[in-house]
Amino acid sequence: MSIHIEATQGQIADKILLPGDPLRAKFIAENFLENAQCFNKIRGMLGYTGTYKGEKVSVMGTGMGMPSISIYAHELIVDYGVKKLIRVGTAGSIDPDVHVRELVLAQAAATNSNIIRNDFPEYDFPQIADFDLLDKAYHIAKDLGLTTHVGSVLSSDVFYSNMPERNMKLGTLGVKAIEMEAAALYYLAAQYHVQALGIMTISDSVVNPEEDTTAQERQTTFTDMMTVGLETLIR
């Protein structure tokens, strides 16, 4: 048992999906996993372990932002031996060619956070996905006929930005979308030599705001990324 996760050893699989919303974790457990058992309720951050196509798989919420995902991912890796971690969450498009409900695979994550810079102030240390997971996820998504974009995202510390034009400028430089967790997850994966990937569904668009989805849709209907994430974990 770690500080923020009440599971005992063996209750968590070595491969896990990490949605930000704990209710999305519950949705995945109830709709995709067989014989799912809840292993965590501390702070309402629900976690479950079950089987997917006969493989033991876990899913757990991480909350919003890099400090929150850093706590849970660190404990999952260090205290429970998780080796494959895939974030499945939402993101906002800043690329006019990336539309709502399409998938983005975060090949790399730029960030305005100081979490990494505090450790390496003299470097712009690149945060990149595990290539094996990225390659598998891309081909799985394409085989399913899903519109899928591969590229950089921005992991931001700020949701309500006072300078959104800066973020939009990144879109002209090839950054696909804004989210709030991938860079921290990739940094932890690099530290502990485990595999990590971010799979995001576009839930809203800075450049095409008329496409935005509702909170209820974001919570329960973005099932394509869940399928891609689970299939990637077991291959």
Side-chain angles (χ1 to χ4, degrees):
M1 181 176 175
S2 63
I3 296 174
H4 301 94
I5 304 172
E6 60 187 337
T8 58
Q9 292 300 318
Q11 283 190 297
I12 302 177
D14 64 356
K15 41 191 173 287
I16 194 166
L17 290 188
L18 299 173
D21 185 350
L23 292 180
R24 189 176 293 132
K26 184 174 186 288
F27 177 88
I28 293 169
E30 292 176 346
N31 291 276
F32 289 87
L33 303 186
E34 295 182 357
N35 303 314
Q37 300 294 319
C38 183
F39 63 74
N40 190 70
K41 293 182 180 178
I42 292 177
R43 295 176 179 261
M45 199 56 68
L46 301 173
Y48 301 85
T49 297
T51 58
Y52 179 77
K53 296 186 175 180
E55 294 277 343
K56 185 178 179 181
V57 173
S58 294
V59 56
M60 183 178 179
T62 64
M64 290 187 287
M66 283 175 274
S68 187
I69 195 173
S70 293
I71 290 170
Y72 293 107
H74 181 278
E75 293 182 15
L76 288 167
I77 295 166
V78 174
D79 297 319
Y80 294 99
V82 178
K83 302 298 183 185
K84 292 183 181 180
L85 305 95
I86 296 182
R87 162 167 156 66
V88 283
T90 55
S93 172
I94 52 176
D95 182 331
D97 295 323
V98 177
H99 300 282
V100 165
R101 292 187 175 82
E102 295 177 350
L103 297 188
V104 170
L105 305 182
Q107 183 176 21
T111 185
N112 55 20
S113 172
N114 282 326
I115 287 178
I116 300 155
R117 199 169 296 118
N118 285 338
D119 290 345
F120 293 98
E122 68 273 37
Y123 300 113
D124 288 325
F125 184 66
Q127 305 311 310
I128 59 173
D130 176 79
F131 180 77
D132 182 56
L133 293 182
L134 178 66
D135 182 54
K136 288 177 180 177
Y138 175 74
H139 286 96
I140 289 167
K142 297 302 285 186
D143 288 345
L144 290 171
L146 304 176
T147 301
T148 304
H149 307 269
V150 179
S152 299
V153 299
L154 169 64
S155 297
S156 179
D157 266 344
V158 180
F159 187 87
Y160 295 108
S161 175
N162 291 322
M163 293 172 286
E165 65 278 358
R166 289 189 179 182
N167 295 337
M168 293 180 70
K169 177 67 175 177
L170 290 175
T172 69
L173 302 176
V175 178
K176 304 298 183 186
I178 306 173
E179 55 88 65
M180 300 185 74
E181 290 84 22
L185 178 62
Y186 290 0
Y187 185 43
L188 283 166
Q191 289 181 71
Y192 293 104
H193 307 288
V194 299
Q195 296 176 278
L197 175 65
I199 302 175
M200 291 75 157
T201 300
I202 298 300
S203 60
D204 56 272
S205 174
V206 176
V207 289
N208 299 304
E210 69 281 358
E211 298 181 353
D212 291 1
T213 58
T214 67
Q216 180 66 20
E217 287 177 307
R218 288 193 291 274
Q219 182 176 302
T220 61
T221 64
F222 294 159
T223 56
D224 288 341
M225 67 177 169
M226 301 169 190
T227 299
V228 173
L230 287 164
E231 290 290 332
T232 303
L233 282 179
I234 67 171
R235 294 193 187 182

